[in-house]
Amino acid sequence: MTTQPSAATGRPAPPVDNTAAGHPAAGYPRRWLAAIVMITGALMDMIDVTIVNVALPTIRHDLHASATQLEWVVSGYMLAFAAVLIIAGNLGDLLGRKRVFLFGVAAFGLASLGAGLAGSGAELITARFVQGAAAAAMAPQVLATFRVIFTGSERGKAFGIYGAMLGFASAVGLVLGGVLTDANLFGWSWRAVFFVNIPVSACALIAGLRLVPETRDPAARRPDVPGAILLASSLVAIVYPLLEGRQLGWPAWVWLMLAAGVTGLVGLGVVEARRRGQRSSPLLRAGLFRVPAFAAGLGVQLAFSAGLQGFFLSFALWLQAGELFSPLKAGLTLVAFSVGSFIGAPAAVPLAQRHGRSVLAAGGVLMVAGIAGVALAARHVGVHGSPWPITPGLVVAGAGLALLVIPLVNVVLAAVSVEVAGGASGLFSTAQQLGGALGVALLGTVFFGYLSGHSFQAALVHVAPYAMGAFALCAVLSMLLPRTAVSEESLTGS
């Protein structure tokens, strides 16, 4: 399961950009065709997150993958996305967004082919890392291009369509993952969830070459490559020990590596804060962390993503390995969560503009209540049983997600100056992916550690309070946010 932190768009709003000299993309006649192509590329990213969750138990059986390898299949994608996202946005501004976007599309298609052909857990994990990096290359180019080729009310429509499609993609991924895995087309089983990306990538690549205009920011600075390498290394150094520590018995070097990763992130922030007049684009924008509302909002994003991804990894395994649901039945069960999100989504931003942070806090409380409902009703499902006992909890949790995360950026940006809004939004996307990777590592460790001597149901019930704690933390941190939210016009306007 995944979501994105912008109300109108489903992804954070990028900064206002200009076209390159000689490329007057504003008012581009084929702008809506270009938008369809770019949204299609972005949909591959969103669908691929949820489509894989449903296929995990089948992957585990077919590849004889260990519990840790299953965690890497999910978190490796998010970790690579988090490590590459910011510098990919910088590269798009500098080298051309069309060029970087199409590179990401091609790389995503090739990585999907590699994932589908994987003969071992290690090969699949490697392909997932490449997929995540490729998705990160695509993502920031989409809305940055929209800001150039659309103006006025058309821009708001384009952003709204983009956000709606991404929300829809999460639900589609759940069902499609079950359909493709159950159908076992050509004997591919779970491999079909990756192979389906190949024709989509090919079509998007061909159409993109013809329809998407090239845009860039003439004022863009060169990317901070050493900083990007340090950022990626630090993120890996944080997540790797958490994923591998349990099966290795938590040796001393695990804690040293974790400390080194945290130190690397802090060091990068300190260096960036002390540099003045730098020629390269900053990665962490350390000054933003001195804004209490921004720091609290980033904490909400991290905690939310950790709780969501960690719990639903355990949930998907419980449904299929514990209750012996088919992949399709498991996917349809999870759609109840998406239904709750769709119910809450239309009201989320208007309520946040009227009531501000209290709406986000209420969303966190609803997520706690929803996960508690799922945990309490889990014993009533039964092997090959009905998912209806857990459906109310899933719907409530989904509605809580809409209230908590959809207006999050709108509320936080009320405390951030317009000049740095784009950088702030980029950090939120990075925090989302990093939080998801950390949640899979931490809650996955709790789940699989408890599973060794207990049933799948007992392990799910055991991990639920950890997810509930993450969402409760979101509710508490939300009260440190501004009392109001910025409007959608300020996110999509020039």
Side-chain angles (χ1 to χ4, degrees):
M1 309 293 295
T2 190
T3 189
Q4 300 291 342
S6 168
T9 66
R11 284 195 185 272
V16 177
D17 298 298
N18 302 310
T19 59
H23 291 274
Y28 176 62
R30 293 190 288 184
R31 55 191 176 277
W32 284 108
L33 292 175
I36 292 171
V37 172
M38 300 193 85
I39 289 174
T40 299
L43 287 178
M44 290 193 297
D45 163 33
M46 295 301 297
I47 289 176
D48 224 60
V49 174
T50 52
I51 204 174
V52 169
N53 279 354
V54 176
L56 281 177
T58 309
I59 292 172
R60 182 186 191 188
H61 178 268
D62 189 40
L63 295 183
H64 306 289
S66 67
T68 302
Q69 286 179 320
L70 286 186
E71 293 175 87
W72 272 115
V73 168
V74 178
S75 63
Y77 182 98
M78 293 184 285
L79 183 59
F81 195 111
V84 173
L85 178 67
I86 295 177
I87 195 169
N90 294 340
L91 287 172
D93 292 343
L94 183 68
L95 302 178
R97 301 181 184 105
K98 173 181 177 178
R99 181 180 301 175
V100 177
F101 173 79
L102 294 181
F103 173 81
V105 170
F108 196 91
L110 291 173
S112 297
L113 176 62
L117 296 175
S120 67
E123 292 175 5
L124 179 57
I125 291 166
T126 301
R128 288 287 286 169
F129 266 97
V130 179
Q131 271 192 318
M138 291 188 286
Q141 319 311 330
V142 179
L143 294 186
T145 299
F146 283 9
R147 280 188 169 270
V148 175
I149 65 176
F150 292 107
T151 58
S153 61
E154 276 196 345
R155 182 183 292 167
K157 290 179 182 178
F159 279 31
I161 292 171
Y162 178 70
M165 291 299 293
L166 292 190
F168 180 67
S170 297
V172 169
L174 295 170
V175 178
L176 188 60
V179 169
L180 291 175
T181 303
D182 268 358
N184 195 25
L185 298 173
F186 308 108
W188 288 342
S189 184
W190 60 270
R191 300 177 190 276
V193 306
F194 297 109
F195 287 150
V196 72
N197 292 323
I198 299 171
V200 178
S201 298
C203 292
L205 187 61
I206 295 170
L209 286 169
R210 295 177 58 87
L211 299 173
V212 177
E214 184 62 278
T215 65
R216 56 175 60 86
D217 181 1
R221 291 176 286 182
R222 62 178 175 82
D224 181 5
V225 176
I229 294 173
L230 177 58
L231 174 63
S233 301
S234 299
L235 296 182
V236 172
I238 291 172
V239 175
Y240 182 87
L242 297 176
L243 285 170
E244 298 287 343
R246 178 181 58 85
Q247 69 173 7
L248 296 176
W250 302 105
W253 66 263
V254 162
W255 303 106
L256 293 174
M257 188 176 185
L258 181 61
V262 174
T263 302
L265 288 181
V266 173
L268 178 60
V270 170
V271 169
E272 286 193 346
R274 291 180 176 178
R275 290 163 66 180
R276 293 290 185 267
Q278 56 187 358
R279 295 181 179 179
S280 59
S281 297
L283 292 169
L284 296 183
R285 300 182 182 269
L288 287 171
F289 292 91
R290 291 193 288 270
V291 180
F294 176 81
L298 210 64
V300 171
Q301 185 72 350
L302 278 166
F304 161 78
S305 298
L308 186 75
Q309 297 293 347
F311 180 78
F312 278 103
L313 170 71
S314 308
F315 186 79
L317 290 169
W318 164 68
L319 283 179
Q320 294 182 64
E323 305 306 319
L324 303 184
F325 279 29
S326 69
L328 177 57
K329 187 176 179 180
L332 291 173
T333 300
L334 283 162
V335 166
F337 183 80
S338 297
V339 169
S341 299
F342 290 139
I343 292 172
V349 175
L351 284 174
Q353 289 175 342
R354 195 174 309 134
H355 304 291
R357 62 193 181 192
S358 60
V359 174
L360 278 68
V365 172
L366 283 177
M367 292 204 73
V368 171
I371 298 302
V374 170
L376 290 172
R379 63 188 180 90
H380 298 293
V381 174
V383 176
H384 296 297
S386 169
W388 286 111
I390 57 175
T391 298
L394 290 172
V395 173
V396 169
L401 176 146
L403 297 180
L404 174 63
V405 178
I406 288 180
L408 177 60
V409 169
N410 299 59
V411 173
V412 172
L413 290 188
V416 176
S417 64
V418 174
E419 291 77 13
V420 296
S425 298
L427 284 174
F428 265 79
S429 263
T430 300
Q432 176 202 354
Q433 302 297 331
L434 176 60
L438 290 173
V440 169
L442 292 170
L443 273 68
T445 295
V446 173
F447 178 80
F448 288 114
Y450 199 77
L451 184 63
S452 60
H454 301 83
S455 67
F456 276 92
Q457 178 192 314
L460 178 74
V461 172
H462 181 71
V463 83
Y466 293 88
M468 292 162 61
F471 300 134
L473 178 60
C474 291
V476 172
L477 290 176
S478 293
M479 299 311 295
L480 301 177
L481 299 177
R483 295 178 180 273
T484 58
V486 297
S487 67
E488 285 299 289
E489 289 74 14
S490 66
L491 289 181
T492 60
S494 299

